[in-house]
Amino acid sequence: MTKLSYSGLKYGEADVQITIMVDIQNDWCEITHTNQVSQVMNKTTGEYIQVNRNTLKCEIVS
């Protein structure tokens, strides 16, 4: 099982870090960008995060 962790500073907040986990073998995810916002959505669970665009990070968890 391979999971990715997406994180960043919550849109509209200066110091709130938020994270979402995506299992790339079983989940369907979508990443969208605008000029100011990046959104990562786990379409399988319906969970999503909106972060300031220049703060989005992706890490391999397992």
Side-chain angles (χ1 to χ4, degrees), residues 1-20:
M1 179 167 32
T2 303
K3 291 187 179 182
L4 298 178
S5 171
Y6 290 95
S7 63
L9 293 177
K10 185 175 182 179
Y11 180 67
E13 304 281 336
D15 58 351
V16 178
Q17 182 86 12
I18 55 177
T19 303
I20 189 171

Side-chain angles (χ1 to χ4, degrees), residues 46-61:
E47 185 180 9
Y48 70 94
I49 60 171
Q50 289 182 331
V51 298
N52 294 327
R53 183 175 179 156
N54 61 346
T55 67
L56 182 64
K57 297 177 187 173
C58 179
E59 297 179 45
I60 298 172
V61 177

Side-chain angles (χ1 to χ4, degrees), residues 27-57:
D27 294 339
W28 179 36
C29 70
E30 179 179 286
I31 303 167
T32 56
H33 303 284
T34 66
N35 289 339
Q36 298 177 347
V37 177
S38 292
Q39 178 173 294
V40 180
M41 180 175 213
N42 183 332
K43 294 258 186 178
T44 304
T45 64
E47 185 180 9
Y48 70 94
I49 60 171
Q50 289 182 331
V51 298
N52 294 327
R53 183 175 179 156
N54 61 346
T55 67
L56 182 64
K57 297 177 187 173

